[in-house]
Amino acid sequence: MATLRIDLEVRDYEMWRDAFDKDAGGRGRHGARRHRIFRAVGDDRKVTLDIDFDTASEADSFLTVLRNNVWSSSDKAPAKVGTPSAQIIDLAESHEYR
């Protein structure tokens, strides 16, 4: 599994969330399996988004869609501030504590 991790700043979280829910990039059509949304404690304008894919290639292809078709459009990304940073990561290890 590969995770596309995106860090972005938004003007208004609810506005961003409405646009995210419209799924302009077609996450499922591009192989996304699940996503997780995180908000910074103390700064609700900072959002981290993890989107899981089966392969790094799928994650990279979707990142290209976001950069070319979504983030460049004020209609599709109305709450985005600046340019998001993104990287594709693989889980190296996981451990649960009780």
Side-chain angles (χ1 to χ4, degrees):
M1 177 175 40
T3 299
L4 172 58
R5 173 162 290 166
I6 302 165
D7 291 305
L8 66 150
E9 184 176 342
V10 299
R11 272 193 297 280
D12 176 276
Y13 178 79
E14 294 306 322
M15 179 190 294
W16 174 82
R17 186 56 202 250
D18 287 343
F20 179 82
D21 288 344
K22 290 178 184 169
D23 195 13
R27 291 180 294 276
R29 289 192 323 268
H30 288 92
R33 295 295 183 178
R34 72 194 58 78
H35 71 263
R36 291 172 305 286
I37 299 170
F38 304 89
R39 295 174 74 183
V41 174
D43 188 351
D44 61 0
R45 294 173 18 121
K46 295 191 187 245
V47 176
T48 297
L49 173 62
D50 285 355
I51 307 172
D52 296 333
F53 294 84
D54 287 336
T55 67
S57 177
E58 288 175 320
D60 188 55
S61 292
F62 186 65
L63 178 55
T64 298
V65 169
L66 290 175
R67 286 180 172 149
N68 294 339
N69 302 332
V70 178
W71 294 344
S72 60
S73 168
S74 60
D75 290 334
K76 294 177 183 173
K80 179 183 66 64
V81 174
T83 303
S85 67
Q87 62 181 328
I88 298 167
I89 57 177
D90 283 318
L91 179 65
E93 184 177 326
S94 177
H95 181 82
E96 291 188 33
Y97 296 89
R98 290 185 174 223

